[in-house]
Amino acid sequence: MSKFSRRQLLIFFGASAGTAVLAPTLGRQHFGSNPNVAQAVLPLKFTPVRLPHPLPIYQEQKSFYATAINYQGSVINASTDTRLSTYNIVDDVVVPPEYERYVIVRWGDRVYPNPEEYFGYNNDYTGFVPLDGRNPNDGYLWVNHEYVSYPFTFTLPEVPEDLAGLPESYPLVVGQSLPADKTDLLLLGEIMYNMGGSVLRMARQNRAGRYSIVKDPNNRRIHGLSGLGINSQRSDQYKTITSWGSKSYQKGDQNYLLSTGPAATQVFPLSVDGLGNKIIGTAYNCSGGTTPWGTILSAEENFQASTAFFVGVTESVKSDGTQTSYTAGTSGEKFGLVGEKYGWMVEIDPSNPNFRPRKHTALGRYRHENIAMRAEAGKKLVAYMGDDRRGGHTWKFVSKGTVSAPNSKNNSALFEEGTLYVARYNPDGTGTWIPLDLNATTNPIPPSVLGLKEIAALGKASRNGLIKLPRRNGVAGQTTDGGAFNLDTTNEATALPGYQGKKLSNFYTSQGAVLVDAFLAANLLGGTPTARPEDIEVHPRTKDVFIAYTDGAAGSDGYPDSRIFVVSKYSPAVNAGQPSGELFKIMENSSDATGTTFRWQRFAKGGEAGAEPGSGFANVDNLAFDPQGNIWGVTDMSTSAHNGFDVGAAATPLAIDHRVVGSNSPSVDDSNLNVQTSNLIGVFGNNWLFFIPTTGPDAGEIVPFAYGPPRCELTGPTFIGDTLILSVQHPGEDCPFTPQQTLSRTIEMLDLNGTLFNQQRTVPRGSNWPSNIEGNPQGPPRPSVIGIRRKQSNGTFV
């Protein structure tokens, strides 16, 4: 159940028994990565949004059930029976009736000094930097652009084949057509241009007004091919690849990036591009963080490419940290982008266009999701990060130098030198930070140990407890150098000894090379493979570290430690726990967070509220603290399982069977497919935004605040005064937007008492948002950044 006792809340959030939870301290505080002014705790004064599945909050409060776009709906009274026999999904951002949502900027909007440039695709993290450091009414908005997906164009990775010939959105929005050849420079260039990030001036006329984008000479794009013009400095075959089209923004510029730290001096001088410390572009930008001194850190996540997934670069590297080779048929190969220069944290200064963005290699190279910081005067800078992959790690960076004033831009230099640690969780609630040092001793966790819990329950671990280690000639019978070796329970006895009791220096030639290959190096050292750490935030008062682990299933990258995380469904009981994410907290044993030991707790468990355990959400992603200290979360359920329908024109219904055990179901028998993660999440409908109040009568409840259009993901929550800035990413992904069709099916789900009932669900096949709320009901979906605020604003959000 999602209700927590007052004592549990007090313990979890670090308050004493005689105090209010998270009682705010007046004055300037930092909540997560966003600065806000703390305000007095106010009672909740809105109607929670009604979702398809039962939640305890619906027994206690009225809820708003949307029936059509643009705020149409009805209020349902609280009832002990929270089952809904029918539910209709609306193609809109649905918010409580006391609030309004409005679009600030959309994909394709021309908001730059160069009228040919346009706002990028699939916006994610947002960060706001006031012009004067204080005034929330005027400043620079940073927006990440993570990736590109259909209906942008059909010629993209993983697009369902039955969408061929159906309308694409790119010609309608941008005003030109794209070639269908996936090796064409124009196609690949426009894909790369639509990733990266945007700097935009955002202001409102008064404290209670709406935000809008305003003209400013500093409005600019930093994208996947920024600086492509420096290819002309090369001596290889890429010397002439300096543009991807005839438009002004498609001709390579000199806006290249730089790097700092060990890889900048020890690895990049060896890179085959011959460009040394110069880097072309930033892309694959997922979440991030805003520093107290007013810069943005943008996380490069899924940069890895294959011939099938052709948008990206080579991930695998040799012992010196340079890529094994270009990956055939990819954008990396086409433009000469060397793999070791991508997968980093990138720092940008929105208010200073003369600040050349830089990639801080001391923070490690992996599939970065986010960053959260502790910056206190006279202390070392501490940053927490996650590697968002199955079996990815939780990280901490501690600077060598100390913070001067937290708002000083000199602090950026602290990211250039320090120690990167990986977390090792122990089943007893303790943990250790292991330094990624060239002289550190190797001690991988055996696959049989990782899989203990699942093996005990089911006799076998999913993916055989897979853990990846660096491939080296002569180790465990290998004959090649570079890339990854798959260690699992089938070869553990013979292969594992070759990786134990050595030094990282036996596998890498420099500290820079270790950092380039941080994921595999961390596995070597015994870091805990985890359940996809999506977001990390530091509690504003206690400094505890909140972590959203989004998905416990194993995958081709690795297997989360089953002693720590729920990795599959261990019982045929319909209400058995589901492996759909967890919310953790780390408590450092050192007051300044520079120590090497910690304690950890699980606060909330993904899964239906009728499951045991289950908190009533699935796949929590971004987290944020609001000015009242409530914790907010958005969900990241896989597009291909929303509402129990697969993507594509056919929208095939998926099997939703609560009796499934482990990786098997009556309709699917595949030991490498975690069925309950990919299918059971269909009960939750669209991705949504919730919060957990930490004071008052509803403290500890999962309170639904909003849900997004079909097939979308809500990302990048940022609180600015009375407004929540939110990204609406990939509405209508991998589905037709015209002609629009309504899908209908029966879905079984759990009642709060753990028994099953059926619901008839209807949902649009794809999405037309926000075209539909702007008078074009069959128009293309457009990823957008929105604002949400009270219709009658009182200066606070809740």
Side-chain angles (χ1 to χ4, degrees), residues 471-639:
R471 184 181 296 277
R472 295 293 181 264
N473 187 16
V475 178
Q478 301 165 59
T479 58
T480 57
D481 178 63
F485 172 77
N486 291 340
L487 180 74
D488 60 30
T489 54
T490 67
N491 62 7
E492 176 182 326
T494 57
L496 181 58
Y499 287 100
Q500 293 174 315
K502 298 184 178 181
K503 302 289 186 183
L504 283 186
S505 57
N506 294 123
F507 298 89
Y508 300 98
T509 62
S510 68
Q511 181 66 25
V514 168
L515 294 170
V516 169
D517 208 21
F519 169 62
L520 298 184
N523 281 339
L524 263 180
L525 295 178
T528 298
T530 71
R532 291 187 57 199
E534 287 262 11
D535 198 11
I536 301 178
E537 297 294 337
V538 176
H539 189 288
R541 183 173 57 80
T542 68
K543 308 304 179 185
D544 292 336
V545 181
F546 287 70
I547 308 172
Y549 288 109
T550 197
D551 190 343
S556 59
D557 284 310
Y559 178 94
D561 191 333
S562 67
R563 300 170 301 165
I564 311 299
F565 303 96
V566 179
V567 301
S568 75
K569 190 166 177 285
Y570 302 141
S571 165
V574 295
N575 66 335
Q578 302 164 3
S580 40
E582 315 184 35
L583 184 59
F584 272 45
K585 181 182 76 168
I586 280 179
M587 300 153 286
E588 294 277 14
N589 288 333
S590 54
S591 60
D592 63 358
T594 62
T596 58
T597 61
F598 61 86
R599 293 159 292 131
W600 64 271
Q601 293 178 354
R602 178 185 294 110
F603 176 47
K605 175 70 190 71
E608 293 169 82
E612 185 56 47
S615 296
F617 62 82
N619 307 124
V620 61
D621 190 333
N622 301 144
L623 301 174
F625 288 101
D626 68 21
Q628 285 74 46
N630 306 301
I631 188 167
W632 294 72
V634 292
T635 66
D636 182 12
M637 298 180 292
S638 173
T639 304

Side-chain angles (χ1 to χ4, degrees), residues 209-404:
R210 290 183 171 187
Y211 284 100
S212 61
I213 303 303
V214 297
K215 292 182 179 180
D216 190 285
N218 289 338
N219 288 357
R220 61 196 186 275
R221 288 294 319 280
I222 302 170
H223 53 79
L225 295 177
S226 289
L228 185 63
I230 64 173
N231 265 349
S232 64
Q233 302 172 22
R234 299 169 67 158
S235 57
D236 59 13
Q237 69 270 30
Y238 296 104
K239 184 178 179 66
T240 60
I241 308 297
T242 58
S243 65
W244 68 92
S246 59
K247 294 184 179 296
S248 56
Y249 69 89
Q250 297 169 338
K251 297 178 180 179
D253 56 38
Q254 295 295 313
N255 297 325
Y256 60 87
L257 286 73
L258 295 174
S259 65
T260 71
T265 58
Q266 299 169 358
V267 178
F268 296 167
L270 307 176
S271 298
V272 296
D273 63 6
L275 295 172
N277 198 31
K278 296 178 180 178
I279 302 175
I280 297 170
T282 179
Y284 332 102
N285 305 75
C286 191
S287 188
T290 302
T291 69
W293 53 92
T295 62
I296 300 291
L297 287 166
S298 179
E300 295 181 331
E301 189 191 7
N302 285 305
F303 62 93
Q304 72 282 359
S306 64
T307 300
F309 196 87
F310 58 89
V311 178
V313 297
T314 300
E315 181 176 31
S316 60
V317 297
K318 297 176 290 189
S319 59
D320 66 358
T322 62
Q323 68 179 20
T324 50
S325 65
Y326 288 110
T327 302
T330 65
S331 54
E333 181 198 38
K334 194 68 176 178
F335 289 103
L337 310 176
V338 292
E340 61 266 27
K341 293 186 175 181
Y342 304 89
W344 303 100
M345 291 299 313
V346 186
E347 188 175 20
I348 300 105
D349 188 343
S351 61
N352 181 8
N354 296 318
F355 178 93
R356 192 175 289 278
R358 57 210 56 186
K359 303 189 180 186
H360 291 300
T361 70
L363 301 180
R365 173 180 175 263
Y366 39 89
R367 299 176 197 173
H368 280 277
E369 172 74 23
N370 75 300
I371 188 168
M373 291 153 278
R374 284 184 61 171
E376 302 168 45
K379 298 182 180 180
K380 295 180 183 296
L381 175 67
V382 178
Y384 297 92
M385 297 163 286
D387 181 358
D388 182 11
R389 74 176 94 200
R390 302 187 191 277
H393 302 101
T394 307
W395 303 88
K396 177 173 78 170
F397 170 80
V398 179
S399 66
K400 181 179 180 180
T402 57
V403 175
S404 53

Side-chain angles (χ1 to χ4, degrees), residues 705-750:
F705 186 85
Y707 75 76
R711 311 288 184 172
C712 92
E713 179 187 348
L714 301 176
T715 64
T718 295
F719 290 97
I720 311 174
D722 69 347
T723 299
L724 172 62
I725 304 297
L726 196 65
S727 292
V728 182
Q729 187 181 100
H730 59 73
E733 183 172 61
D734 287 341
C735 296
F737 64 87
T738 185
Q740 193 55 270
Q741 294 183 4
T742 298
L743 308 175
S744 180
R745 65 160 297 170
T746 298
I747 292 179
E748 71 169 33
M749 61 180 64
L750 290 175

Side-chain angles (χ1 to χ4, degrees), residues 427-443:
D428 64 359
T430 64
T432 303
W433 293 108
I434 304 172
L436 257 70
D437 182 82
L438 190 62
N439 294 314
T441 301
T442 61
N443 184 29

Side-chain angles (χ1 to χ4, degrees), residues 182-229:
K182 68 180 183 180
T183 67
D184 189 277
L185 277 179
L186 178 59
L187 172 71
L188 291 175
E190 284 299 283
I191 292 172
M192 297 299 292
Y193 174 79
N194 273 274
M195 295 188 287
S198 291
V199 175
L200 298 171
R201 177 89 171 268
M202 185 178 76
R204 58 182 176 180
Q205 295 301 311
N206 54 66
R207 185 182 180 189
R210 290 183 171 187
Y211 284 100
S212 61
I213 303 303
V214 297
K215 292 182 179 180
D216 190 285
N218 289 338
N219 288 357
R220 61 196 186 275
R221 288 294 319 280
I222 302 170
H223 53 79
L225 295 177
S226 289
L228 185 63

Side-chain angles (χ1 to χ4, degrees), residues 77-100:
N77 289 327
S79 171
T80 56
D81 184 357
T82 62
R83 296 173 300 175
L84 294 179
S85 59
T86 61
Y87 193 91
N88 179 53
I89 297 289
V90 173
D91 186 17
D92 200 353
V93 177
V94 174
V95 296
E98 297 85 2
Y99 285 77
E100 66 170 357

